């Protein structure tokens, strides 16, 4: 069975340097595929991505999740310096 790569984020642009279209994937930015048409560039990259994802899974490596399939909690962590972290609990809350 081949991995489903349809939900990944793709971009196909013209490369003046290569004089071909280049397809890239946001979730795996180190991969690209050159071809004479946009469709061939996209299909080539999708074929490559299937192979790479299968290899990652076979090796027990983490497979990047497509951005479209990710869920977000609405929370994020913020790192602050040690001295500010120590001071924050003793500060009164700011209003208005």
């Amino acid at each position: 069975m081949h991995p489903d790569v349809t939900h990944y984020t793709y971009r196909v642009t013209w490369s003046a340097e290569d004089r071909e279209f280049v397809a890239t994937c946001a979730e795996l930015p180190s991969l690209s595929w050159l071809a004479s048409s946009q469709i061939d560039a996209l299909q080539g990259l999708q074929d490559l991505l299937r192979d790479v994802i299968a290899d990652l899974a076979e090796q027990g490596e983490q497979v990047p999740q497509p951005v479209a399939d990710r869920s977000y909690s609405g929370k994020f962590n913020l790192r602050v310096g040690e001295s500010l972290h120590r001071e924050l609990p003793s500060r009164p809350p700011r209003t208005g």
Side-chain angles (χ1 to χ4, degrees), residues 9 15 23 29 39 54 61-63 75 80-81 87 89 93-95:
T9 308
S15 171
I39 291 171
E61 299 288 329
Q62 184 174 357
V63 175
K75 299 177 185 178
V80 296
E87 186 181 327
R94 295 176 88 178
T95 57

Side-chain angles (χ1 to χ4, degrees), residues 53-62:
I53 289 173
D55 286 345
L56 288 172
E58 185 178 304
Q59 299 298 319
E61 299 288 329
Q62 184 174 357

